[in-house]
Amino acid sequence: MPNRAQQIYKQEFRFGLGGVSLGNEFNKHTDKEAEGTLEAAWEVGVRYFDVAPWYGFGLAERRFGHFLHNKKREDYLLSSKVGKLFKASKNNRHAEIYPLSDSPNDIVFDYTADGVRRSIEDSLQRLGVDSLDVAFVHDISPDFAYFPNGWEEQYEIARKGAFPALSKMRDEGIIRAWGIGVNTPQPILKVMDDADPDVCLCARQYSLIDHANAVNELFPAVRKKNISLVIGSSLNAGFISGSPRYNYGKENFKIPAAVIEKREKFRAVAARYGVDLRTAALQFSAAPDVAVALVVGARSYQQIAEDYNSLQGKIPSEFWAELKQQALIQSEASLPAAPV
């Protein structure tokens, strides 16, 4: 029997647009440019949208909401995040954390039961819609650099507050499902033992470049608990497709030499088979049985159209066979279906 996430993420919702880029994480984009990207996503068939208060300190939610509030609510799936509240302040931290966002807001970390209810209410107001489908508890993970006393303290607050509150909100019908959204596996493994999540956002952990831990440890545990994953950052914040950064954070421009070398090996195999590496990366990350959706970031009409079309592309099975032979991908990793 399908689990809750599999019932929610129907076929039309299996490819989604994420809000990091349109929150001005990497580059500054105008509202008009953001609207054009969202229009393009809708035109090519995207019906799943994933945002967060964190992306641009409220900017991404406002931009997505400006577009989505004109659409029928039943026509799209919407997820956002909880755990971070914002309030307008003349002395805010946006210049330190999200310098390109021009946000007037300052941040308060709040993973309590009351805090997550407030977070969802605030998100609905910024988005201009009446409901979220999925709520992800955001960034309670070792890689998040802005907690005052480390992620474990915030996780414990969430375990006692956010997690049971979200289960109650799910049972009340305020949200349809919940989980956590993180960049490392440890919190996902913990939350499956500590609570009853439905679906977790697994970002930057299952890409062509980096997927061994997911295949060998995370995915088996997820299967055992019968929950599902949304896969994010399958291009490692654009690195696989050529961007001058690897993943997220202030020092993502410092790309490890081993990672660059691995990308070159992938490029060499792709060139021999006439395969676009971005296409291969997206299809690879969408393939696991535990994945109910793939979320990508895009800053332009061209990017979202290319990403969408990549999932329709055909890749020869010999390409994947050579990647496994060269040990560039794990032997147990799921592969996209062979072209017909």
Side-chain angles (χ1 to χ4, degrees):
M1 180 179 176
N3 62 32
R4 186 187 298 267
Q6 290 165 340
Q7 294 174 38
I8 293 171
Y9 284 87
K10 298 176 182 178
Q11 184 61 38
E12 61 266 35
F13 304 137
R14 292 184 63 85
F15 178 71
L17 175 64
V20 172
S21 291
L22 297 187
N24 290 3
E25 163 97 7
F26 308 118
N27 297 285
K28 197 161 190 169
H29 307 291
T30 66
D31 290 343
K32 185 176 182 180
E33 289 170 334
E35 188 83 359
T37 302
L38 288 159
E39 287 278 6
W42 191 271
E43 286 174 11
V44 299
V46 175
R47 294 295 183 271
Y48 174 35
F49 301 89
D50 175 71
V51 289
W54 177 251
Y55 304 155
F57 276 30
L59 179 62
E61 284 189 326
R62 288 195 293 106
R63 285 175 165 173
F64 276 64
H66 186 265
F67 175 76
L68 289 173
H69 83 278
N70 289 315
K71 304 297 182 185
K72 292 182 180 178
R73 185 62 188 85
E74 62 270 21
D75 287 348
Y76 62 89
L77 192 73
L78 179 63
S79 58
S80 193
K81 321 291 192 311
V82 299
K84 296 165 182 158
L85 301 177
F86 292 90
K87 59 182 180 181
S89 170
K90 290 183 179 180
N91 301 309
N92 63 70
R93 297 180 66 190
H94 95 263
E96 173 193 344
I97 301 174
Y98 257 98
L100 301 178
S101 71
D102 294 332
S103 173
N105 294 325
D106 210 355
I107 185 169
V108 176
F109 300 113
D110 192 338
Y111 293 90
T112 65
D114 289 343
V116 299
R117 283 184 177 269
R118 166 72 184 276
S119 182
I120 288 177
E121 291 170 1
D122 288 354
S123 287
L124 293 177
Q125 289 193 33
R126 281 189 293 267
L127 287 160
V129 299
D130 60 10
S131 63
L132 291 179
D133 294 294
V134 182
F136 294 116
V137 183
H138 204 191
D139 280 335
I140 40 175
S141 174
D143 68 297
F144 190 71
Y146 298 100
F147 291 140
N149 298 311
W151 78 278
E152 294 95 341
E153 180 177 308
Q154 299 298 329
Y155 181 93
E156 187 62 17
I157 294 170
R159 186 183 68 80
K160 295 177 180 178
F163 298 167
L166 289 167
S167 291
K168 185 176 181 182
M169 294 172 77
R170 178 189 61 202
D171 296 342
E172 292 171 349
I174 297 172
I175 56 175
R176 298 171 67 191
W178 76 272
I180 64 173
V182 290
N183 299 327
T184 64
Q186 185 178 353
I188 299 178
L189 294 169
K190 279 180 62 63
V191 74
M192 290 190 296
D193 287 334
D194 292 338
D196 63 340
D198 309 291
V199 56
C200 291
L201 175 56
C202 173
R204 93 176 192 198
Q205 301 172 58
Y206 193 72
S207 69
L208 279 178
I209 295 285
D210 182 10
H211 60 269
N213 186 279
V215 169
N216 298 321
E217 296 185 35
L218 181 60
F219 289 2
V222 166
R223 292 186 187 102
K224 186 176 180 180
K225 294 289 187 177
N226 192 31
I227 73 165
S228 296
L229 299 173
V230 171
I231 304 296
S233 195
S234 56
L235 301 178
N236 295 108
F239 171 76
I240 291 177
S241 55
S243 294
R245 57 180 177 263
Y246 182 66
N247 293 330
Y248 306 106
K250 288 184 177 181
E251 297 192 339
N252 65 354
F253 62 92
K254 295 180 179 179
I255 305 172
V259 170
I260 295 173
E261 181 181 353
K262 192 170 186 179
R263 182 177 64 181
E264 291 309 306
K265 291 179 178 178
F266 278 114
R267 284 176 169 174
V269 178
R272 282 199 293 278
Y273 290 92
V275 171
D276 174 64
L277 191 56
R278 181 195 61 248
T279 292
L282 293 177
Q283 290 194 16
F284 176 80
S285 293
D289 60 313
V290 295
V292 287
L294 177 74
V295 168
V296 302
R299 66 174 186 270
S300 66
Y301 172 94
Q302 180 179 357
Q303 275 195 343
I304 191 60
E306 287 176 348
D307 288 345
Y308 186 87
N309 289 331
S310 281
L311 292 178
Q312 327 307 320
K314 295 183 177 181
I315 297 176
S317 55
E318 293 82 3
F319 167 78
W320 300 111
E322 181 164 342
L323 292 184
K324 284 197 172 184
Q325 188 211 356
Q326 291 194 27
L328 288 171
I329 58 177
Q330 294 285 299
S331 59
E332 288 79 25
S334 302
L335 296 179
V340 179

